[in-house]
Each structure stands twice: as C-alpha cells, then as structure tokens.
Amino acid sequence: MKKHLRRIFLPIIAVIASWSIAATPAFAYDESMHTNDGDPGGVVYWTAYGDKFEVCDIEADGWAVVGSIDTSKYYDGPYDGGYSLTVGGNGKCVYRDAGDGGAYDLPENTYVRVYVCLYKDGGYGEYCDLSVWLNN
C-alpha cells in the first residue's frame, strides 16, 4: 500500500516543486509593460509598495533596454524627479527599490510616468511604451 501511495503522490509533489522553482520575481509585481516592437525585446515591472522597479532584456536582438520613471503630483505633469535603468543582454535584468535610497525612494501619493524603450548604437529610443501609475 505504501508503494502504491508513493507512486501517486511523488509525481504530484514533483510538479508542485517545479512550479515553485519556475516562479520568478516578476510574478510579485503589480504592473508590467513591454516594448512595442513586434517581438518585444524589453519589459519593465513595477510595484508601488516599496517602489520596486525592474528592467529586463528579454530577447537576443542586439538592442539594450532602458526603463525610466518620472514623478509628479499630477497625472499629466509637470514631472520633477525620477531615474533611468539600462540593461543589455538577453535574460539580464536590473532592479532598484526604495531601500536603495535617494532617487529610488519615490515620494508617496504621486504619479509615476514609466517608459520602456529599446536603444541601439547610442541612438534615440525606439519601440517605446508609456504608462502612468499611482505611487501610493
């Protein structure tokens, strides 16, 4: 009987364990958006609690990904603070949060304008996307 139960439960336990291993930090974020190219090469993740911001390069395409945050008391600006993060190389990410202090600790009850763009050879941002979220 014990061998029979082991045959039933061991595969179930293996599947559950693989789910927990496969989970990435991105699942903990409130918001995300991708670059606007046909096969998105970049993504940003954002969570207001703790001002968590992650920028990831998700395609081996020779482009770097830039994510930026600007802050404002009003939905449509003027924007008075913020920062940018840049990463290049498929599968690489950069991360900052309020615990890093300075510009990364965003003021509460303000709007954050978040951009994500692709850059290549020092050119201007291309395939950009933009969202505005509330940091509360």
Side-chain angles (χ1 to χ4, degrees), residues 5 14 42 46 49 54 64 85 89 117 123 127-128 136:
L5 289 176
W46 160 258
Y49 183 77
E54 186 171 23
L85 300 176
C117 297
Y127 306 108
C128 297
N136 57 3

PDB file of all heavy atoms in Angstrom, residues 5 14 42 46 49 54 64 85 89 117 123 127-128 136:
ATOM      1  N   LEU A   5       0.819   4.396  -2.756  1.00  0.00           N
ATOM      2  CA  LEU A   5       0.634   5.807  -2.420  1.00  0.00           C
ATOM      3  C   LEU A   5       1.826   6.639  -2.887  1.00  0.00           C
ATOM      4  O   LEU A   5       1.665   7.759  -3.341  1.00  0.00           O
ATOM      5  CB  LEU A   5       0.431   5.975  -0.909  1.00  0.00           C
ATOM      6  CG  LEU A   5      -0.911   5.478  -0.364  1.00  0.00           C
ATOM      7  CD1 LEU A   5      -0.952   5.596   1.152  1.00  0.00           C
ATOM      8  CD2 LEU A   5      -2.061   6.243  -0.984  1.00  0.00           C
ATOM      9  N   ALA A  14       6.428  16.419  -7.266  1.00  0.00           N
ATOM     10  CA  ALA A  14       7.420  16.907  -8.236  1.00  0.00           C
ATOM     11  C   ALA A  14       6.874  18.061  -9.065  1.00  0.00           C
ATOM     12  O   ALA A  14       7.577  19.037  -9.326  1.00  0.00           O
ATOM     13  CB  ALA A  14       7.857  15.759  -9.147  1.00  0.00           C
ATOM     14  N   GLY A  42      12.050  44.035 -24.621  1.00  0.00           N
ATOM     15  CA  GLY A  42      12.261  44.534 -23.264  1.00  0.00           C
ATOM     16  C   GLY A  42      10.973  44.595 -22.480  1.00  0.00           C
ATOM     17  O   GLY A  42       9.882  44.684 -23.039  1.00  0.00           O
ATOM     18  N   TRP A  46       6.766  46.928 -12.159  1.00  0.00           N
ATOM     19  CA  TRP A  46       6.648  47.984 -11.160  1.00  0.00           C
ATOM     20  C   TRP A  46       5.691  47.563 -10.055  1.00  0.00           C
ATOM     21  O   TRP A  46       4.642  46.985 -10.322  1.00  0.00           O
ATOM     22  CB  TRP A  46       6.120  49.263 -11.817  1.00  0.00           C
ATOM     23  CG  TRP A  46       5.530  50.248 -10.870  1.00  0.00           C
ATOM     24  CD1 TRP A  46       4.203  50.475 -10.644  1.00  0.00           C
ATOM     25  CD2 TRP A  46       6.227  51.134 -10.008  1.00  0.00           C
ATOM     26  NE1 TRP A  46       4.047  51.453  -9.702  1.00  0.00           N
ATOM     27  CE2 TRP A  46       5.279  51.871  -9.296  1.00  0.00           C
ATOM     28  CE3 TRP A  46       7.579  51.378  -9.761  1.00  0.00           C
ATOM     29  CZ2 TRP A  46       5.620  52.834  -8.355  1.00  0.00           C
ATOM     30  CZ3 TRP A  46       7.922  52.340  -8.830  1.00  0.00           C
ATOM     31  CH2 TRP A  46       6.958  53.048  -8.148  1.00  0.00           C
ATOM     32  N   TYR A  49       4.290  49.531  -3.646  1.00  0.00           N
ATOM     33  CA  TYR A  49       4.750  49.266  -2.285  1.00  0.00           C
ATOM     34  C   TYR A  49       6.235  48.902  -2.321  1.00  0.00           C
ATOM     35  O   TYR A  49       6.623  47.877  -2.873  1.00  0.00           O
ATOM     36  CB  TYR A  49       3.945  48.136  -1.644  1.00  0.00           C
ATOM     37  CG  TYR A  49       4.336  47.892  -0.210  1.00  0.00           C
ATOM     38  CD1 TYR A  49       3.894  48.746   0.794  1.00  0.00           C
ATOM     39  CD2 TYR A  49       5.159  46.834   0.124  1.00  0.00           C
ATOM     40  CE1 TYR A  49       4.266  48.539   2.103  1.00  0.00           C
ATOM     41  CE2 TYR A  49       5.533  46.624   1.438  1.00  0.00           C
ATOM     42  CZ  TYR A  49       5.090  47.474   2.421  1.00  0.00           C
ATOM     43  OH  TYR A  49       5.456  47.275   3.720  1.00  0.00           O
ATOM     44  N   GLU A  54      11.961  46.990 -12.026  1.00  0.00           N
ATOM     45  CA  GLU A  54      12.900  46.082 -12.676  1.00  0.00           C
ATOM     46  C   GLU A  54      12.799  46.250 -14.187  1.00  0.00           C
ATOM     47  O   GLU A  54      11.706  46.341 -14.729  1.00  0.00           O
ATOM     48  CB  GLU A  54      12.603  44.635 -12.286  1.00  0.00           C
ATOM     49  CG  GLU A  54      13.637  43.663 -12.817  1.00  0.00           C
ATOM     50  CD  GLU A  54      13.473  42.263 -12.250  1.00  0.00           C
ATOM     51  OE1 GLU A  54      12.359  41.908 -11.796  1.00  0.00           O
ATOM     52  OE2 GLU A  54      14.458  41.529 -12.266  1.00  0.00           O
ATOM     53  N   ALA A  64      19.685  47.279 -26.405  1.00  0.00           N
ATOM     54  CA  ALA A  64      19.620  47.440 -24.954  1.00  0.00           C
ATOM     55  C   ALA A  64      18.222  47.941 -24.584  1.00  0.00           C
ATOM     56  O   ALA A  64      17.515  48.508 -25.410  1.00  0.00           O
ATOM     57  CB  ALA A  64      20.672  48.433 -24.481  1.00  0.00           C
ATOM     58  N   LEU A  85      17.078  53.176 -15.774  1.00  0.00           N
ATOM     59  CA  LEU A  85      17.904  51.977 -15.661  1.00  0.00           C
ATOM     60  C   LEU A  85      18.109  51.401 -17.052  1.00  0.00           C
ATOM     61  O   LEU A  85      17.175  51.366 -17.852  1.00  0.00           O
ATOM     62  CB  LEU A  85      17.220  50.925 -14.787  1.00  0.00           C
ATOM     63  CG  LEU A  85      16.898  51.311 -13.345  1.00  0.00           C
ATOM     64  CD1 LEU A  85      16.138  50.182 -12.657  1.00  0.00           C
ATOM     65  CD2 LEU A  85      18.170  51.632 -12.583  1.00  0.00           C
ATOM     66  N   GLY A  89      21.596  42.501 -23.018  1.00  0.00           N
ATOM     67  CA  GLY A  89      21.955  41.084 -22.965  1.00  0.00           C
ATOM     68  C   GLY A  89      20.755  40.245 -22.603  1.00  0.00           C
ATOM     69  O   GLY A  89      20.164  40.420 -21.535  1.00  0.00           O
ATOM     70  N   CYS A 117      11.966  51.485 -23.483  1.00  0.00           N
ATOM     71  CA  CYS A 117      12.375  51.668 -24.876  1.00  0.00           C
ATOM     72  C   CYS A 117      13.556  50.751 -25.187  1.00  0.00           C
ATOM     73  O   CYS A 117      14.265  50.305 -24.286  1.00  0.00           O
ATOM     74  CB  CYS A 117      12.844  53.104 -25.140  1.00  0.00           C
ATOM     75  SG  CYS A 117      11.605  54.380 -24.914  1.00  0.00           S
ATOM     76  N   GLY A 123      21.721  55.484 -30.334  1.00  0.00           N
ATOM     77  CA  GLY A 123      20.641  56.228 -30.994  1.00  0.00           C
ATOM     78  C   GLY A 123      19.548  56.623 -30.025  1.00  0.00           C
ATOM     79  O   GLY A 123      19.666  56.484 -28.814  1.00  0.00           O
ATOM     80  N   TYR A 127      10.643  51.893 -30.294  1.00  0.00           N
ATOM     81  CA  TYR A 127       9.669  50.903 -29.838  1.00  0.00           C
ATOM     82  C   TYR A 127       9.266  51.156 -28.388  1.00  0.00           C
ATOM     83  O   TYR A 127       9.135  50.238 -27.582  1.00  0.00           O
ATOM     84  CB  TYR A 127      10.211  49.482 -30.011  1.00  0.00           C
ATOM     85  CG  TYR A 127      10.679  49.185 -31.399  1.00  0.00           C
ATOM     86  CD1 TYR A 127      12.043  49.059 -31.681  1.00  0.00           C
ATOM     87  CD2 TYR A 127       9.776  49.052 -32.443  1.00  0.00           C
ATOM     88  CE1 TYR A 127      12.485  48.792 -32.965  1.00  0.00           C
ATOM     89  CE2 TYR A 127      10.211  48.787 -33.732  1.00  0.00           C
ATOM     90  CZ  TYR A 127      11.565  48.658 -33.986  1.00  0.00           C
ATOM     91  OH  TYR A 127      11.992  48.400 -35.253  1.00  0.00           O
ATOM     92  N   CYS A 128       9.082  52.431 -28.046  1.00  0.00           N
ATOM     93  CA  CYS A 128       8.790  52.830 -26.665  1.00  0.00           C
ATOM     94  C   CYS A 128       7.335  52.568 -26.284  1.00  0.00           C
ATOM     95  O   CYS A 128       6.444  52.595 -27.130  1.00  0.00           O
ATOM     96  CB  CYS A 128       9.083  54.315 -26.479  1.00  0.00           C
ATOM     97  SG  CYS A 128      10.818  54.742 -26.738  1.00  0.00           S
ATOM     98  N   ASN A 136       1.241  54.913  -4.331  1.00  0.00           N
ATOM     99  CA  ASN A 136       0.607  55.172  -3.030  1.00  0.00           C
ATOM    100  C   ASN A 136       0.866  54.064  -2.045  1.00  0.00           C
ATOM    101  O   ASN A 136       1.365  53.045  -2.351  1.00  0.00           O
ATOM    102  CB  ASN A 136      -0.893  55.371  -3.192  1.00  0.00           C
ATOM    103  CG  ASN A 136      -1.578  54.194  -3.850  1.00  0.00           C
ATOM    104  OD1 ASN A 136      -0.973  53.183  -4.153  1.00  0.00           O
ATOM    105  ND2 ASN A 136      -2.849  54.350  -4.095  1.00  0.00           N
TER     106      ASN A 136
END
